[in-house]
């Protein structure tokens, strides 16, 4: 078969997949899980990548990971390698990590520091703003350096969070409102005065939506997460319909202390189906942070924080991040799809930049609860995927009380996909 014929077949398959996905999403039963192809079909996965991960704002990392000029990190969004770095003016920029000469990767390491960006293939050289500085003497006289700078990706920061959008145009939504509130809610932590203390990359044999679904409910927590429930209250937020009066009394007591210190805590949500959300939640009485004993993981509190019982400020950003901000450290989670049934979950722990490992904090203690929880969730997600792959699978009902977060997520996903597919 000739190349053009193969291309036509590929396009035909995608066109068929668009029609099939539209039909599945338009006819899906409300408050039920999705049909199997939406969790395991490669063509529908590609549509997920095109309509969600190549068009929506994605969380990629924290500004304190690249504190100085020339610091960078790289990520892969499907088949799209991305480079995030800080320029000489202190701005955070994002570029497609592909040389304008013949497309080679420019930065091949996960993290690093550069004076300029030099492609290792033919030494084309770019500055930290993506401008092409050098292309050798072999190019013809009419070659214009200015026309061959790196392809930029949209990049925004707020409260120390870095978001990237790979689309030609930025989505028209309430994202900037979310960023403004995120800036306010993150102010007490002074993220620029933190540092990355630990990082894990967990490969999970499950569709990215199953990873998010699992995160959006704690229905499974009692049976699966003993370490996490040493400190975490299972209620999703202050509006959780399951929460008893005892919880509200505990929250009100803690909130009075937060108000006295000027610490934001009220539930805030933005976008359709609470796509972006933040709320400060107390931890169990007597615990300070998410460690096995509930005691501090680091001796140095973050930013201007004085009250060690700050609970956890939970920040959700669909499609790929959830986060826990605490008094002495914070934890961020990033989800990036690999294939229809493979996902990379990255977890990062941050502490005060002056905290010394072995003196102020112990990495094993810092990581223990969420390392265990991540591994438990991996098992759950992979079992979920195996069951969905069965010919016996049929979409099942969600609990509107225990799994309302999952319902919100899938409603957002379905609405987003249908808008893109039409």
């Amino acid at each position: 078969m000739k190349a053009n014929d193969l291309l036509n077949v590929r396009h035909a398959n995608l066109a068929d997949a668009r029609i099939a996905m539209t039909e599945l999403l338009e006819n899906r039963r409300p408050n039920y899980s999705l049909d199997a192809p939406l969790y395991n079909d490669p063509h529908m996965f590609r549509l997920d990548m095109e309509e969600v991960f190549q068009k929506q704002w994605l969380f990629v990392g924290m500004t304190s990971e690249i504190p100085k000029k020339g610091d960078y990190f790289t990520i892969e969004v499907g088949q799209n390698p991305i480079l995030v770095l800080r320029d000489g003016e202190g701005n955070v920029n994002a570029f497609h990590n592909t040389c304008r000469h013949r497309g080679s990767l420019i930065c091949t390491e996960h993290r690093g520091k550069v004076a300029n960006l030099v492609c290792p293939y033919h030494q084309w050289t770019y500055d930290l703003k993506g401008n092409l500085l050098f292309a050798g003497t072999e190019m013809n006289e009419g070659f214009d350096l200015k026309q061959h700078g790196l392809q930029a990706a949209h990049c925004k920061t707020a409260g120390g969070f870095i978001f990237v959008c790979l689309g030609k145009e930025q989505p028209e939504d309430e994202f900037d409102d979310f960023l403004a509130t995120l800036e306010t809610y993150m102010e007490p932590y002074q993220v620029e005065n933190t540092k990355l203390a630990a990082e894990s990359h967990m490969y999970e044999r499950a569709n990215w939506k199953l990873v998010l679904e699992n995160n959006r409910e704690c229905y499974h927590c009692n049976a699966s997460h003993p370490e996490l429930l040493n400190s975490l209250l299972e209620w999703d937020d202050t509006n959780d319909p399951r929460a008893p009066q005892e919880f509200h009394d505990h929250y009100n007591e803690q909130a009075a202390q937060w108000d006295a210190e000027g610490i934001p805590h009220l539930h805030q949500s933005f976008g359709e189906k609470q796509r972006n959300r933040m709320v400060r939640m107390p931890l169990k009485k007597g615990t300070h942070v998410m460690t096995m004993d509930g005691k501090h993981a680091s001796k140095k509190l973050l930013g201007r924080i004085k009250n060690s019982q700050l609970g956890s400020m939970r920040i959700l950003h669909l499609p790929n991040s959830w986060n826990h901000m605490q008094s002495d450290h914070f934890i961020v989670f990033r989800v990036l799809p690999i294939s229809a049934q493979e996902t990379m979950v990255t977890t990062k722990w941050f502490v005060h930049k002056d905290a010394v490992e072995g003196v102020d904090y112990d990495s094993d203690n810092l990581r223990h609860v969420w390392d265990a929880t991540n591994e438990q969730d991996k098992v759950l997600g992979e079992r979920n995927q195996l069951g969905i792959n069965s010919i016996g699978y049929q979409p099942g009902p969600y609990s509107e009380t225990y799994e309302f977060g999952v319902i919100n997520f899938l409603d957002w996903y379905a609405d987003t996909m249908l808008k893109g597919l039409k």
Side-chain angles (χ1 to χ4, degrees):
M1 187 176 289
K2 296 181 180 179
N4 284 342
D5 293 333
L6 286 171
L7 190 60
N8 289 335
V9 169
R10 186 180 183 186
H11 287 166
N13 287 338
L14 280 176
D16 290 343
R18 295 180 83 88
I19 294 170
M21 178 180 275
T22 300
E23 183 176 343
L24 288 175
L25 291 175
E26 286 182 337
N27 296 322
R28 74 186 186 100
R29 190 172 179 180
N31 300 350
Y32 271 63
S33 59
L34 301 174
D35 289 281
L38 294 166
Y39 293 117
N40 61 18
D41 181 81
H43 296 297
M44 295 199 181
F45 170 76
R46 182 172 174 184
L47 295 177
D48 278 3
M49 296 304 298
E50 290 182 357
E51 300 301 334
V52 176
F53 285 88
Q54 291 174 204
K55 291 184 179 179
Q56 301 296 316
W57 285 105
L58 307 176
F59 168 69
V60 294
M62 303 299 290
T63 56
S64 59
E65 297 179 61
I66 46 174
K68 297 180 180 179
K69 172 184 176 181
D71 290 342
Y72 74 85
F73 65 82
T74 60
I75 64 167
E76 293 183 7
V77 182
Q79 295 183 336
N80 300 292
I82 303 299
L83 166 67
V84 181
L85 79 163
R86 194 179 291 263
D87 66 23
E89 297 175 358
N91 300 311
V92 176
N93 303 313
F95 300 100
H96 291 272
N97 187 13
T98 173
C99 184
R100 292 295 308 281
H101 177 209
R102 285 167 57 186
S104 173
L105 285 180
I106 298 173
C107 292
T108 59
E109 301 296 325
H110 176 48
R111 296 185 182 280
K113 185 179 183 65
V114 292
N116 288 306
L117 298 164
V118 182
C119 178
Y121 201 174
H122 300 95
Q123 286 70 58
W124 279 33
T125 303
Y126 307 83
D127 66 18
L128 301 182
K129 293 183 179 295
N131 301 306
L132 181 60
L133 301 176
F134 172 78
T137 58
E138 294 77 11
M139 306 308 293
N140 60 44
E141 292 183 1
F143 180 76
D144 187 355
L145 291 173
K146 294 181 180 179
Q147 299 301 315
H148 292 82
L150 293 180
Q151 297 286 358
H154 301 293
C155 184
K156 292 186 177 183
T157 64
F161 284 75
I162 306 171
F163 299 93
V164 167
C165 175
L166 305 187
K168 292 182 180 179
E169 298 179 356
Q170 303 176 34
E172 295 182 3
D173 53 24
E174 299 178 15
F175 191 66
D176 286 341
D177 293 335
F178 164 66
L179 294 185
T181 304
L182 181 62
E183 186 77 37
T184 299
Y185 273 56
M186 287 298 297
E187 178 273 327
Y189 297 93
Q190 298 175 1
V191 172
E192 295 296 338
N193 290 324
T194 67
K195 67 178 180 180
L196 180 65
E199 180 176 19
S200 74
H201 300 278
M202 186 179 72
Y203 168 76
E204 187 169 337
R205 292 188 296 271
N207 183 273
W208 69 275
K209 293 187 290 296
L210 295 180
V211 176
L212 265 293
E213 286 188 41
N214 179 75
N215 171 261
R216 298 316 313 133
E217 50 90 359
C218 210
Y219 189 15
H220 67 279
C221 289
N222 278 326
S224 302
H225 296 321
E227 295 86 356
L228 182 61
L229 292 186
N230 280 339
S231 57
L232 183 75
L233 292 168
E234 64 178 289
W235 323 123
D236 192 58
D237 61 36
T238 52
N239 300 325
D240 194 317
R242 302 169 297 149
Q245 186 58 46
E246 181 182 3
F247 162 77
H248 291 291
D249 293 341
H250 178 40
Y251 171 82
N252 290 334
E253 180 181 339
Q254 293 285 292
Q257 298 178 31
W258 302 336
D259 286 334
E261 199 172 329
I263 303 293
H265 59 85
L266 296 178
H267 175 110
Q268 303 281 349
S269 60
F270 305 85
E272 296 181 1
K273 313 301 180 183
Q274 300 187 48
R275 176 192 179 182
N276 298 298
R277 192 197 72 194
M278 62 194 78
V279 62
R280 188 176 305 283
M281 294 284 283
L283 297 172
K284 284 187 174 179
K285 289 185 177 181
T287 62
H288 295 255
V289 296
M290 295 177 184
T291 53
M292 285 300 293
D293 60 8
K295 297 179 181 178
H296 289 135
S298 174
K299 294 178 182 178
K300 294 187 179 297
L301 299 184
L302 299 176
R304 65 172 178 84
I305 294 167
K306 305 295 182 184
N307 178 8
S308 62
Q309 288 190 315
L310 210 59
S312 166
M313 186 169 75
R314 304 180 186 183
I315 301 171
L316 170 69
H317 169 67
L318 298 179
N320 79 318
S321 181
W322 63 87
N323 312 275
H324 286 280
M325 308 292 151
Q326 301 165 90
S327 60
D328 66 341
H329 73 284
F330 62 82
I331 314 162
V332 299
F333 301 83
R334 184 185 69 207
V335 174
L336 291 174
I338 299 172
S339 75
Q341 300 184 46
E342 298 173 294
T343 304
M344 184 64 68
V345 180
T346 297
T347 308
K348 301 176 184 180
W349 292 259
F350 291 79
V351 298
H352 194 285
K353 68 177 183 180
D354 295 332
V356 178
E357 184 174 5
V359 176
D360 297 306
Y361 70 96
D362 174 76
S363 288
D364 289 340
N365 181 50
L366 185 74
R367 297 178 52 149
H368 185 98
V369 168
W370 277 105
D371 275 345
T373 303
N374 284 343
E375 186 61 33
Q376 292 152 1
D377 282 335
K378 174 183 176 179
V379 172
L380 295 173
E382 292 182 346
R383 288 174 179 169
N384 199 178
Q385 184 71 64
L386 290 172
I388 285 172
N389 290 346
S390 165
I391 60 173
Y393 167 76
Q394 292 181 339
Y398 295 115
S399 165
E400 295 182 31
T401 303
Y402 281 81
E403 297 170 299
F404 64 90
V406 183
I407 293 171
N408 284 341
F409 163 56
L410 289 185
D411 285 347
W412 172 83
Y413 165 76
D415 290 348
T416 300
M417 291 302 299
L418 286 172
K419 288 178 182 177
L421 291 169
K422 294 181 177 179

